Amino acid sequence: MSFAMAFSKKEDESGLSSYYNNKTTIIQEARVFNESPISPRKCRQLLTRIVYLLYVGETFSTQESTTLFFGTTKLFQHKDSALRQAVYLAIKELATTAEDVIMVTSSIMKDMQPNSEVIYRPNAIRALCRIIDPSMAQGVERFFKAAIVDKNPSISSAALVSSYHLFPHAKDVVKRWVNEAQEAVNAKSQGYFGSVSSGSSSFFGGGSSQNATQTIPSSSNITQYHALGLLYLMRQQDRMAITKMIQQLGGGKSGAGTTLKNAMALCMLIRYAAKVIEEDPNVQRQMVELLEGWLRHKSDMVNFEAARVICEMKNVTAAQLTKSIAVLQLFLSSPKPVLKFAATRTLAALALSHPASVAACNVDLENLITDTNRSVATYAITTLLKTGNEASVDRLIKQITGFMSEISDEFKVIIVDAIRSLCLKFPAKHAAMLTFLSGVLRDEGGYDFKRAVVEAIFDMIKFIGECKEQALSHLCEFIEDCEFTKLSVRILHLLGIEGPKSSQPAKYIRFIYNRVVLENAPVRAAAVASMAKFGVSSSDPKLNHSIGVLLNRCLDDVDDEVRDRATMYLKVFKAQNLVEPYVKEDSVLSLTALEAKLVSYVKDGSASAQPFDVSSIPKISRAQAAAESARPSTLDTIGVPAPKKTSAAPPPPTAAETQSAYADQLAAVPAFANYGPILNSSARPLPLTESETEYQVTCVKHIFKEHIVFQFNVSNTLPDTVLEQVTMAMQTEDEGLSQEFVLPINSLSAASSPGVAYVSFVRDEPEDYATATFQCTLQFVSKELDPSTGEPEAEGYEDEYQIEEVELSAGGDYIIPSYAAFGAEWDRMKAGPSVTETFGLGASVESLKAACDSIIEVLNMEPLGGTEIPTSSSVHTLQLSGLVTGGGGKVLARCRMTFSQGVGVTLELGVRAEKQDVCQLVVNAVGG
């Protein structure tokens, strides 16, 4: 006790860093390992400092690690048990960076023998796992098998965990230990866990070197948890084996027959069951029966895990939820805060999809609103907001207001997002909710919290017209004292859109102009744009004159962006024909597509002779642009913990990013060096084989000005076969394309898959949009691999493999989606090329919605104004916009459709474009 108090006092006075010193001092003091006689106390202290430095992130060079490692191994023969354990801990950590660690294998193996001291064997097993080469795994197989089924839990657990870490490097060897792992899962508790030196006062403290041991009773059955993890790792590729394992260990419908006594092992089994349900819905019924049995387990942890898994199942019914909700309801009245927190968090997630089922817990949840743990109270309130009725809204908001100042920003965001969803659920209560939001907007808080409040008010403005002017007034007051530039800019942008539509637009001008006077440059620029929108949207000449005066004052601003915006908008005021394209334009260039085209333009030396063609860049609506840049809407995930961690997964690449990657890939092929820039590439690879076949092929089409290049990504899934001279034979009866050359894959094994083969065609008439269907055959020389050398045999045989046809079509190959204001563009192109045709789509098209989906898929054009969803079952007009590659320009399609039973859909297709052959391309695509 006195030593601990002295150490604590020293730590308080000088800190850990001075006690543990630094890396240089430790390396110098390593000579204590060579002293004679060895001082166990000094060595233990030095080993402690080494391990501490490694744990806090300090790195040792390879030479330093090797010196320390082999200095440490000299202590193997010492009889002090505490020192020996510290030695194993140190060599285990140093083994990853030191060299020649394999040399101590024999010393460690001595401590792994069944007749060695029990206290050394677990440490030796863990250290051996770190230092052996994967090729040596077979040599220690006998020791690991014996250790896994050892009657001492500490030895068995050490072997199981070490096998788990060894598995990725020696799968075939570790898989042979499945019987021993199964035996460890089914083993009953032996009543002992490890042994310690009776003379040691502590692990790192001093003590006698006697090796007398004493047993410590243990009833944790932790070995089952470790064994279950290893079994799953071995069988994870075999879903049937996993299902069988769960059913065998589950203990039947009641769960009473299970051999698993460890609660963590049962929780792990429940998670495996959840994974099986997700992958194979056909076994849901059997798994749910097991899960319901575990709801009656004596462990709260097992009860909760089973209830949580049932609540998170896809397509779960209200009847299946009854028992789980009953268990969670019991947890709500538990004296343990962790159980209350877990239950409220799960119910908050469930309330999104099954509010009626969760409503049974409302009485218990209301009792938790005043809980001393504010995290529990927060989740209780968010759940009640989703399950309560309109009459309870005022009372809940009053209770929320009472403790908003006592919780962290993270939970404030959850509360605000819950209010945000409630606004749309009960729009009649908007006044109380808007008052609450405006109140918390004035409170102290970080950016995420303020952003959540502002976006909640944005939604109220968008969906609840009655509160628009009041909400805008609250936002005007907020930007008077807003410390976050991003929020100020967004609010000013919204004021520019919604303010001119209000009954008294002039009242917002003062707040906006104040930003020009008082704020930083980005906010001033946004304020200038916002004021200009009032000017172009107002018919009041007095207001327009005032705005003109204010914009003239901005011409003297110190920031060039602010001056440029003011100059541009003053010019627009004087020329009304500039208002539509520069202020009211509802579309913007796709930034990702623009970036990709600019990169291609800069890299292509010959392209600089011509000006950059902006007309080839597709446009997207401002709503689409905002959706790409804004955070995901939380309306569907209010206050809910994410069931899976998805942040680690990168977002899928956009079409423009994909095309940029293809351009880099093709640029590396010398044969395509003179082809010029790529006009278009397939948005995604087209699969030409089933995913289970031995050879898997996908195709990507690249359109150049005078060439078409087909890229075939080929995978060989046969591990004992090598394919050589892999080529793709393409045949077509259509005209307009002539095959130029084929680039084969020289050698393709399972390890080197996928490989890429190219087939290049010349466009006979580059100005024409050639379409064709190709029959494709994969041709190759197949050679077996010699199992002893891993090299392919000298002789092989020629073989071929028939795959699906590849089609070169209008949609996706020549036409790309592009947004446009359909009415204005349709009228503008009235005098240009146009075609109108009538088609009978036949009785096989069962509805107007099916016809819309089919036309959009065939033409690959952008549906406009929500016309992709018919509002009538008999008559509908679909509006489409696209951009044709290679300078084809814009193309618009108006699809007037009627539907009647027995006849199906009749389509009148009107096409307007900048070139006549583009009109014909669209008509042929639908008629073909």
Side-chain angles (χ1 to χ4, degrees):
M1 177 69 76
S2 61
F3 172 77
M5 290 177 65
F7 177 75
S8 177
K9 185 176 180 181
K10 184 174 181 180
E11 180 184 336
D12 290 341
E13 291 175 355
S14 57
L16 281 172
S17 59
S18 61
Y19 176 77
Y20 285 114
N21 297 316
N22 54 46
K23 184 171 72 172
T24 306
T25 308
I26 285 175
I27 293 170
Q28 290 173 350
E29 292 182 7
R31 57 179 176 272
V32 300
F33 298 149
N34 301 320
E35 291 178 356
S36 184
I38 288 173
S39 169
R41 187 172 182 277
K42 285 185 179 179
C43 292
R44 281 197 302 270
Q45 287 179 343
L46 187 60
L47 291 170
T48 303
R49 291 155 67 186
I50 292 172
V51 173
Y52 170 78
L53 280 182
L54 289 168
Y55 280 179
V56 297
E58 185 66 74
T59 56
F60 290 89
S61 68
T62 303
Q63 184 178 353
E64 292 167 344
S65 297
T66 305
T67 302
L68 289 173
F69 182 88
F70 284 101
T72 303
T73 58
K74 295 175 184 177
L75 307 176
F76 261 122
Q77 304 308 316
H78 203 276
K79 300 300 182 185
D80 187 279
S81 58
L83 176 60
R84 291 277 292 279
Q85 290 184 79
V87 167
Y88 274 119
L89 189 60
I91 67 171
K92 185 161 70 77
E93 299 302 325
L94 289 168
T96 54
T97 52
E99 291 181 335
D100 302 323
V101 295
I102 206 84
M103 293 170 62
V104 298
T105 304
S106 58
S107 301
I108 296 175
M109 294 286 283
K110 288 179 183 176
D111 281 347
M112 282 187 62
Q113 304 299 329
N115 58 356
S116 66
E117 292 289 343
V118 172
I119 196 170
Y120 301 141
R121 288 182 67 192
N123 296 317
I125 291 167
R126 293 188 187 99
L128 186 68
C129 169
R130 289 289 185 94
I131 67 170
I132 63 169
D133 187 86
S135 61
M136 295 177 60
Q138 193 164 354
V140 297
E141 183 174 8
R142 178 171 57 87
F143 294 101
F144 271 93
K145 280 187 171 182
I148 287 172
V149 296
D150 195 280
K151 294 186 181 299
N152 189 300
S154 63
I155 296 172
S156 181
S157 285
L160 288 163
V161 174
S162 298
S163 303
Y164 191 96
H165 291 305
L166 198 60
F167 183 82
H169 310 292
K171 290 183 181 179
D172 294 337
V173 175
V174 177
K175 278 183 178 179
R176 296 203 291 263
W177 308 346
V178 63
N179 292 334
E180 285 73 19
Q182 186 71 52
E183 188 176 336
V185 167
N186 296 325
K188 295 181 180 179
S189 175
Q190 302 301 317
Y192 302 103
F193 189 83
S195 54
V196 297
S197 171
S198 60
S200 297
S201 60
S202 70
F203 183 81
F204 295 113
S208 163
S209 60
Q210 298 175 8
N211 284 322
T213 60
Q214 64 180 20
T215 55
I216 301 175
S218 170
S219 57
S220 70
N221 298 286
I222 194 66
T223 303
Q224 293 184 328
Y225 173 66
H226 296 143
L228 183 64
L230 181 61
L231 269 180
Y232 179 79
L233 198 64
M234 293 173 174
R235 296 172 173 173
Q236 61 183 344
Q237 303 301 330
D238 187 349
R239 192 168 64 222
M240 294 300 296
I242 294 293
T243 306
K244 185 177 179 182
M245 179 183 76
I246 294 168
Q247 290 173 336
Q248 286 176 342
L249 297 175
K253 292 183 180 181
S254 66
T258 181
T259 57
L260 296 178
K261 306 299 180 189
N262 181 268
M264 287 194 291
L266 274 168
C267 288
M268 189 62 71
L269 193 69
I270 290 169
R271 293 186 181 185
Y272 295 156
K275 191 172 178 64
V276 168
I277 292 172
E278 186 179 351
E279 293 175 351
D280 186 6
N282 296 325
V283 300
Q284 187 184 68
R285 186 178 58 81
Q286 302 97 296
M287 292 294 126
V288 169
E289 288 177 355
L290 289 174
L291 291 169
E292 289 179 345
W294 288 320
L295 289 172
R296 295 185 289 274
H297 196 270
K298 61 183 179 181
S299 167
D300 290 335
M301 183 164 60
V302 175
N303 297 156
F304 170 71
E305 193 66 27
R308 183 188 64 81
V309 166
I310 292 175
C311 290
E312 290 180 358
M313 282 194 313
K314 291 179 181 177
N315 305 318
V316 64
T317 63
Q320 291 172 323
L321 288 170
T322 305
K323 295 179 181 178
S324 299
I325 291 176
V327 169
L328 295 173
Q329 191 170 6
L330 289 175
F331 286 172
L332 294 176
S333 55
S334 169
K336 299 177 182 177
V338 68
L339 289 180
K340 289 189 287 188
F341 178 80
T344 52
R345 195 167 181 256
T346 305
L347 289 170
L350 185 62
L352 284 171
S353 53
H354 294 81
S357 299
V358 178
C361 304
N362 279 3
V363 175
D364 300 277
L365 288 166
E366 291 201 16
N367 293 332
L368 294 177
I369 293 176
T370 56
D371 194 272
T372 53
N373 187 315
R374 287 312 191 194
S375 302
V376 172
T378 301
Y379 276 121
I381 282 188
T382 54
T383 308
L384 286 169
L385 289 173
K386 301 184 192 80
T387 59
N389 53 36
E390 194 167 351
S392 64
V393 170
D394 292 329
R395 177 172 52 83
L396 288 172
I397 288 180
K398 186 177 180 181
Q399 289 176 303
I400 293 169
T401 308
F403 71 82
M404 279 294 282
S405 59
E406 301 175 24
I407 59 177
S408 66
D409 274 11
E410 182 183 359
F411 285 106
K412 285 180 182 177
V413 170
I414 292 174
I415 293 285
V416 169
D417 281 347
I419 295 290
R420 183 181 176 188
S421 66
L422 202 65
C423 295
L424 307 183
K425 187 176 180 182
F426 304 124
K429 292 291 182 181
H430 67 81
M433 289 181 275
L434 187 57
T435 302
F436 169 79
L437 291 172
S438 63
V440 297
L441 199 56
R442 290 190 289 268
D443 293 344
E444 292 295 322
Y447 172 72
D448 287 333
F449 167 52
K450 297 288 186 180
R451 182 181 65 175
V453 179
V454 168
E455 289 187 348
I457 296 177
F458 279 11
D459 279 348
M460 293 184 74
I461 293 170
K462 183 177 180 181
F463 297 110
I464 307 173
E466 297 88 350
C467 71
K468 181 181 293 185
E469 294 205 13
Q470 188 182 358
L472 288 175
S473 298
H474 287 308
L475 291 176
C476 286
E477 292 174 11
F478 173 62
I479 60 173
E480 288 287 303
D481 190 28
C482 178
E483 58 185 307
F484 304 108
T485 298
K486 286 185 178 179
L487 291 183
S488 294
V489 169
R490 290 191 61 192
I491 292 170
L492 287 167
H493 177 71
L494 183 76
L495 284 171
I497 295 172
E498 299 293 342
K501 302 174 187 175
S502 64
S503 57
Q504 293 179 301
K507 68 180 181 180
Y508 302 113
I509 300 297
R510 174 173 62 86
F511 296 99
I512 297 172
Y513 186 69
N514 282 347
R515 308 282 57 80
V516 176
V517 177
L518 302 171
E519 291 287 357
N520 56 30
V523 177
R524 296 202 304 272
V528 167
S530 184
M531 275 197 301
K533 288 174 185 172
F534 277 81
V536 298
S537 303
S538 172
S539 57
D540 182 357
K542 186 177 179 181
L543 178 62
N544 290 347
H545 175 72
S546 300
I547 290 173
V549 172
L550 295 177
L551 289 176
N552 270 300
R553 293 180 186 176
C554 298
L555 296 176
D556 298 325
D557 196 276
V558 294
D559 186 77
D560 56 352
E561 173 72 14
V562 178
R563 294 195 305 272
D564 291 349
R565 288 196 184 195
T567 304
M568 184 192 78
Y569 287 121
L570 286 169
K571 177 74 173 176
V572 168
F573 282 180
K574 297 173 183 176
Q576 285 298 313
N577 61 320
L578 299 178
V579 171
E580 285 293 335
Y582 287 102
V583 180
K584 294 185 177 181
E585 173 63 45
D586 193 36
S587 62
V588 293
L589 294 174
S590 170
L591 293 182
T592 50
L594 177 62
E595 181 188 17
K597 293 285 186 182
L598 284 171
V599 168
S600 176
Y601 181 78
V602 171
K603 286 183 177 179
D604 186 2
S606 60
S608 59
Q610 298 292 329
F612 182 73
D613 184 13
V614 181
S615 64
S616 64
I617 311 299
K619 289 187 176 183
I620 57 176
S621 67
R622 292 189 182 274
Q624 289 173 311
E628 287 181 5
S629 60
R631 74 183 176 102
S633 173
T634 52
L635 289 177
D636 298 326
T637 55
I638 302 303
V640 178
K644 293 182 180 177
K645 291 184 179 179
T646 56
S647 57
T654 63
E657 290 169 340
T658 303
Q659 296 211 13
S660 181
Y662 287 143
D664 293 341
Q665 191 175 356
L666 291 173
V669 181
F672 306 137
N674 298 323
Y675 279 20
I678 302 175
L679 302 179
N680 190 34
S681 293
S682 306
R684 62 183 64 86
L686 173 70
L688 301 179
T689 58
E690 298 293 334
S691 58
E692 299 83 10
T693 56
E694 59 268 36
Y695 309 123
Q696 297 170 5
V697 184
T698 61
C699 178
V700 179
K701 292 164 279 186
H702 306 288
I703 312 298
F704 293 85
K705 183 178 181 180
E706 298 179 357
H707 299 82
I708 308 287
V709 174
F710 295 87
Q711 172 185 326
F712 294 95
N713 306 312
V714 186
S715 294
N716 172 19
T717 63
L718 302 177
D720 54 352
T721 304
V722 170
L723 308 183
E724 294 185 352
Q725 295 302 311
V726 182
T727 60
M728 186 65 66
M730 300 180 68
Q731 296 180 339
T732 181
E733 297 178 358
D734 297 303
E735 298 178 351
L737 296 172
S738 304
Q739 185 168 316
E740 187 175 16
F741 60 81
V742 177
L743 295 180
I745 306 170
N746 294 328
S747 179
L748 184 67
S749 63
S752 64
S753 294
V756 180
Y758 294 100
V759 182
S760 175
F761 284 82
V762 176
R763 298 169 68 173
D764 296 340
E765 296 292 337
E767 299 300 322
D768 291 346
Y769 301 100
T771 58
T773 301
F774 297 88
Q775 289 76 41
C776 301
T777 306
L778 187 67
Q779 298 178 340
F780 51 84
V781 176
S782 180
K783 293 185 178 181
E784 299 291 327
L785 281 176
D786 189 327
S788 58
T789 63
E791 295 295 324
E793 296 178 352
E795 297 296 327
Y797 61 91
E798 294 185 359
D799 200 357
E800 60 182 36
Y801 189 78
Q802 194 73 34
I803 61 174
E804 292 184 14
E805 294 180 342
V806 174
E807 186 176 1
L808 185 67
S809 60
D813 294 326
Y814 296 116
I815 303 174
I816 55 177
S818 181
Y819 181 84
F822 188 84
E825 285 294 319
W826 185 259
D827 292 339
R828 185 183 68 81
M829 300 173 73
K830 183 176 182 180
S834 64
V835 173
T836 303
E837 293 280 351
T838 303
F839 302 95
L841 302 185
S844 59
V845 180
E846 299 175 349
S847 66
L848 291 176
K849 179 67 171 67
C852 289
D853 292 343
S854 178
I855 293 168
I856 293 170
E857 182 182 359
V858 168
L859 295 179
N860 190 41
M861 294 172 71
E862 181 80 20
L864 303 174
T867 56
E868 67 273 19
I869 302 174
T871 54
S872 166
S873 59
S874 57
V875 180
H876 182 62
T877 299
L878 172 66
Q879 299 171 347
L880 299 171
S881 172
L883 198 63
V884 181
T885 59
K890 291 182 180 178
V891 56
L892 299 178
R894 184 179 64 187
C895 309
R896 292 174 170 172
M897 293 175 276
T898 61
F899 174 78
S900 58
Q901 293 291 342
V903 178
V905 175
T906 302
L907 166 67
E908 181 196 82
L909 175 64
V911 183
R912 291 182 182 178
E914 296 178 10
K915 293 185 178 180
Q916 188 64 43
D917 53 352
V918 170
C919 296
Q920 204 57 49
L921 175 70
V922 173
V923 170
N924 292 344
V926 175

